[in-house]
Amino acid sequence: MRRLVLLFGLLLLPLVGGCAHNYYNLPQDAVAEKVKVLGVVPIIVDTDSDIRHPQREELITLLTNVNRSFERDLLRLVKNTNSFYTVTLLDADPKAVFANTLFRRERRDDAAIQYNKYFWKEDALADFMRKNSLDATMFVVVSGITRPDKISSSNLLDSLTTDYNFLVMTAQIVDAKATILWEYPNFRQRTLSYSPLMNLQYPDFDEAKANMSPRVQVKFKTLEGIRRSLEKRRLDLLRRETPEVELYMSQFEDMTSMLEIDKDRKPAPPAQPAPKKDEQETKK
């Protein structure tokens, strides 16, 4: 019995102590001291990533427009973490910023999570941050990736495991030296989880059944179907539509839940520059 009580107490200790789990690549004290002003780049579409849709260019245009519609929801959620003294959505062309600051992209398979990871040019990023008076920059990127998955039919009687083309959303907070301070997917979670933004393909079980074929064709969703999925609204408890969209908000909420810093480590206002000597003499 004593052992059970001791084990239960150890499990409750993190909750009693009130210490939040640290999802950053630095101690939270260092993050709070280092990052007071955070600039959020408008959501980027990685046009050179693995997007295989037959109407690729039209899909990229659709994603660009949808990103503009919902990125202020991301800004609101980042601000609501109260982890930074100032958070601003930058008035910048995301395509140009991406082209100027990207060093390389890597397709990663870390801990069974497949995603695209980005690395940045230190000089270009430092110059961009200096011009915008930032301590750190947040990049959010929508890109394409092909990976295996198992998709079931609507009646759950059939399934197909094969490679599907997905849209994924990744995010990073980087400093002027291009050091990644935080990232999503996040590998500091106690239980790793990461969901793609959406699957661009589907197995056509109905066609296979109608033709009595053992082979199920994998097809791309139409642009209109993709648009409807991306713009699908959440429902409240009374099944009424809300202003929030399901797919984007799920990603935003997941990533911002891992941005929070302990309340006793919240950032102080940026230090004000010391007055110049002639200004001090004038005041006298």
Side-chain angles (χ1 to χ4, degrees):
M1 183 66 182
R2 279 185 176 180
R3 290 180 179 178
L4 288 175
V5 172
L6 179 60
L7 178 60
F8 187 66
L10 290 173
L11 291 173
L12 285 178
L13 188 59
L15 300 177
V16 174
C19 294
H21 186 72
N22 184 21
Y23 298 100
Y24 290 84
N25 296 332
L26 295 177
Q28 288 191 353
D29 288 331
V31 175
E33 178 63 30
K34 185 183 185 71
V35 185
K36 301 182 188 301
V37 182
L38 176 68
V40 180
V41 176
I43 300 174
I44 295 164
V45 179
D46 183 357
T47 57
D48 292 328
S49 63
D50 186 16
I51 300 174
R52 302 187 180 186
H53 197 280
Q55 293 177 276
R56 191 174 186 278
E57 295 305 317
E58 293 88 343
L59 175 58
I60 288 171
T61 300
L62 170 63
L63 291 171
T64 301
N65 293 335
V66 172
N67 287 345
R68 299 293 82 77
S69 299
F70 305 128
E71 56 201 10
R72 290 202 171 273
D73 291 320
L74 170 64
L75 179 68
R76 171 174 54 83
L77 292 178
V78 175
K79 285 183 175 181
N80 287 347
T81 66
N82 295 316
S83 297
F84 312 100
Y85 185 75
T86 300
V87 181
T88 182
L89 181 63
L90 299 173
D91 183 14
D93 177 4
K95 184 177 181 180
V97 173
F98 190 57
N100 291 335
T101 59
L102 178 66
F103 177 58
R104 75 176 189 275
R105 171 203 317 103
E106 284 186 7
R107 187 191 188 283
R108 302 286 286 263
D109 188 344
D110 298 332
I113 292 178
Q114 298 177 35
Y115 67 107
N116 292 314
K117 185 165 183 170
Y118 298 90
F119 299 88
W120 311 94
K121 299 174 185 174
E122 182 177 339
D123 292 343
L125 187 59
D127 183 60
F128 175 76
M129 290 175 59
R130 183 170 55 252
K131 289 178 179 177
N132 289 278
S133 302
L134 303 174
D135 296 321
T137 302
M138 183 174 187
F139 291 99
V140 179
V141 184
V142 174
S143 63
I145 194 167
T146 300
R147 65 171 180 81
D149 203 353
K150 179 180 180 181
I151 307 297
S152 298
S153 61
S154 57
N155 59 14
L156 303 180
L157 296 178
D158 300 295
S159 64
L160 180 66
T161 300
T162 188
D163 286 344
Y164 296 93
N165 194 214
F166 288 87
L167 293 176
V168 295
M169 183 179 287
T170 57
Q172 295 174 328
I173 293 177
V174 296
D175 66 12
K177 294 183 178 180
T179 302
I180 300 172
L181 308 179
W182 172 93
E183 63 184 330
Y184 174 83
N186 193 284
F187 296 93
R188 294 180 176 272
Q189 303 174 72
R190 291 187 177 94
T191 303
L192 292 180
S193 64
Y194 176 66
S195 299
L197 180 61
M198 74 174 300
N199 192 346
L200 293 175
Q201 296 181 286
Y202 68 98
D204 195 340
F205 295 108
D206 290 338
E207 181 186 62
K209 183 177 180 181
N211 292 316
M212 302 179 66
S213 172
R215 183 179 180 184
V216 178
Q217 296 286 337
V218 175
K219 299 181 177 181
F220 278 95
K221 298 173 182 177
T222 65
L223 286 179
E224 189 60 24
I226 294 170
R227 183 191 64 78
R228 283 194 291 263
S229 295
L230 293 174
E231 295 180 348
K232 183 180 179 182
R233 302 285 168 172
R234 284 179 166 176
L235 302 178
D236 63 17
L237 294 176
L238 299 178
R239 307 295 295 171
R240 297 172 301 190
E241 283 192 352
T242 70
E244 296 180 342
V245 291
E246 180 61 43
L247 294 183
Y248 272 73
M249 287 301 295
S250 294
Q251 297 280 319
F252 295 163
E253 289 171 348
D254 194 25
M255 68 173 69
T256 56
S257 70
M258 292 179 276
L259 281 176
E260 294 186 4
I261 293 177
D262 284 352
K263 61 182 179 181
D264 58 341
R265 294 185 172 96
K266 298 298 183 184
Q272 297 297 320
K276 296 179 181 179
K277 184 177 180 180
D278 55 348
E279 291 179 353
Q280 290 178 330
E281 291 176 353
T282 302
K283 288 182 180 179
K284 292 179 181 179

